[in-house]
């Protein structure tokens, strides 16, 4: 294994991911659209697939838990990715996710997070998180 490949396999100089959504606030009936940008690092990276997760994140203190945040997945989508991201290049992958009633938040301490995870073959996965909102149209 070359030194450059070794550094890439432990996440040094690896790709970077940035997810850009067209509209971060969605009303009922709208679709979450966006683009995942993959910026190549110092070496070529083979990608297995890209995973998108919409997560309900609730901040709540409970005596019976060591954690103040609770995650509940409300949507998942996998994007097939054929090939690799070449060193110092940028690759784009578009996506579309249709919301449902699980995206509605009743708790004032809750928020929705779009988490993008890029699964790198024989390497360290990279991820990006962005907050989104979803609400009904007021009549």
């Amino acid at each position: 294994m070359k030194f450059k490949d070794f550094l890439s396999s432990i996440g040094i100089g690896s790709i970077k991911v940035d997810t850009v959504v067209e509209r971060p606030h969605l009303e009922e009936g709208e679709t979450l659209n966006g683009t995942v940008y993959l910026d190549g690092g110092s070496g070529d990276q083979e990608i297995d697939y890209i995973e998108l997760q919409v997560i309900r994140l609730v901040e709540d203190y409970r005596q019976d838990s060591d954690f103040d945040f609770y995650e509940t997945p409300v949507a998942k989508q996998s994007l097939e990715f054929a090939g690799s991201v070449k060193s110092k290049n940028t690759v784009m992958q578009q996506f579309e996710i249709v919301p449902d009633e699980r995206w509605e938040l009743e708790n004032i301490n809750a928020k929705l997070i779009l988490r993008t995870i890029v699964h790198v073959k024989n390497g360290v996965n990279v991820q990006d998180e962005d907050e989104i909102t979803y609400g009904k149209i007021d009549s």
Side-chain angles (χ1 to χ4, degrees):
M1 176 183 271
K2 296 184 292 188
F3 184 67
K4 192 178 207 181
D5 293 336
F6 172 74
L7 290 177
S8 172
S9 72
I10 59 173
I12 299 172
S14 65
I15 66 172
K16 291 182 177 30
V17 61
D18 186 29
T19 305
V20 177
V21 295
E22 288 180 15
R23 297 184 53 182
H25 176 72
L26 300 172
E27 298 291 344
E28 186 176 350
E30 295 180 330
T31 302
L32 179 64
N33 296 307
T35 305
V36 177
Y37 293 90
L38 303 172
D39 292 322
S42 58
D44 296 353
Q45 300 284 314
E46 290 289 324
I47 307 298
D48 279 337
Y49 64 99
I50 300 169
E51 181 179 4
L52 297 166
Q53 301 174 349
V54 177
I55 297 167
R56 182 185 312 120
L57 184 67
V58 179
E59 183 177 8
D60 189 20
Y61 173 76
R62 291 188 356 200
Q63 285 186 315
D64 63 342
S65 177
D66 292 335
F67 304 101
D68 291 336
F69 289 93
Y70 304 94
E71 293 184 0
T72 305
V74 295
K76 280 187 176 182
Q77 185 178 72
S78 291
L79 304 174
E80 296 296 322
F81 191 89
S84 64
V85 177
K86 301 293 183 192
S87 174
K88 311 246 188 289
N89 283 350
T90 300
V91 175
M92 299 180 299
Q93 181 80 37
Q94 294 184 331
F95 66 89
E96 182 176 289
I97 302 174
V98 178
D100 60 29
E101 67 278 352
R102 296 175 296 167
W103 291 38
E104 295 174 14
L105 303 176
E106 290 84 28
N107 187 331
I108 61 169
N109 295 326
K111 60 183 175 180
L112 290 175
I113 301 292
L114 174 63
R115 181 177 294 155
T116 306
I117 305 169
V118 179
H119 294 267
V120 179
K121 188 175 284 191
N122 301 321
V124 176
N125 297 341
V126 294
Q127 70 179 35
D128 180 39
E129 288 187 1
D130 298 287
E131 186 173 349
I132 57 174
T133 57
Y134 177 77
K136 293 185 177 190
I137 298 173
D138 294 329
S139 303

